[in-house]
Amino acid sequence: DEEVALLALIDIQAPRDEAAPAVDPTTLLRWFAIDLGRTLGADLAGSVDVLSALPPEQQLAYVLDQARASGALPPDLGERELRAYLDVFTASLRAMQDYQPRPYAGRVTLFRAGDRPLDEADETLGWNALVAAGVSVRVIPGDHYTIVRQPHVATLAEQLRLSLAEAQM
């Protein structure tokens, strides 16, 4: 019940009411590899297309090899560490799927990636249906992954600073 000066969302779509489909372990690992590559600035999408042809016990090692080869991961990072990242990814995905939002009485600032393809005409990415006082949208150059990396993170930081200053007035 504490009041906050600013509730900021960074390029995230509002949850939808539809149930999330069940995902098999290979698909989950493929999503993880693609996300890992995009987060670290490498393209692993093409290299993980062969995962379904590999036995399950070889799939994580394959992703690790591909990520190392692309330069996305250091050569000394082991399978155990990558498994820990996969576990965090899986827990985050489950948390997103299980999240049941409640209406919010305050105002929200959404920092939306400028290169984000909009699935709908709603520039608030669905948050306007949950936020009573309105959603302020600030468009940041880049996509979902690059807005938190140089050079775009500087714009995000400045827009966040401005939003905090405005909210505290």
Side-chain angles (χ1 to χ4, degrees):
D1 292 326
E2 297 288 325
E3 187 171 322
V4 295
L6 174 69
L7 176 56
L9 303 171
I10 300 178
D11 199 55
I12 187 74
Q13 183 116 15
R16 297 191 172 136
D17 288 335
E18 59 207 43
V23 179
D24 65 273
T26 300
T27 300
L28 181 66
L29 185 58
R30 185 176 191 286
W31 290 351
F32 168 71
I34 292 168
D35 189 70
L36 178 70
R38 301 247 6 240
T39 299
L40 299 174
D43 182 12
L44 298 179
S47 65
V48 297
D49 285 338
V50 300
L51 279 178
S52 59
L54 295 174
E57 64 275 3
Q58 293 178 8
Q59 291 178 351
L60 187 63
Y62 177 79
V63 169
L64 179 60
D65 290 343
Q66 295 303 306
R68 283 181 185 153
S70 73
L73 292 176
D76 60 338
L77 188 114
E79 199 170 318
R80 193 170 118 218
E81 291 91 355
L82 190 61
R83 168 73 58 197
Y85 291 138
L86 175 59
D87 290 346
V88 169
F89 178 84
T90 302
S92 297
L93 185 62
R94 282 195 187 114
M96 282 186 346
Q97 291 172 337
D98 293 344
Y99 177 63
Q100 296 296 316
R102 295 181 311 209
Y104 179 67
R107 184 160 184 76
V108 168
T109 299
L110 171 66
F111 297 93
R112 186 176 60 78
D115 294 346
R116 178 188 245 287
L118 289 178
D119 298 337
E120 54 208 51
D122 179 10
E123 73 169 346
T124 71
L125 304 179
W127 291 106
N128 60 342
L130 296 166
V131 179
V135 178
S136 172
V137 178
R138 297 197 180 216
V139 179
I140 308 299
D143 65 24
H144 180 74
Y145 296 89
T146 62
I147 65 171
V148 293
R149 290 200 303 258
Q150 288 296 350
H152 306 307
V153 72
T155 302
L156 175 61
E158 177 60 16
Q159 289 298 313
L160 185 55
R161 186 191 67 73
L162 290 170
S163 295
L164 278 168
E166 290 170 9
Q168 293 172 339
M169 292 180 153

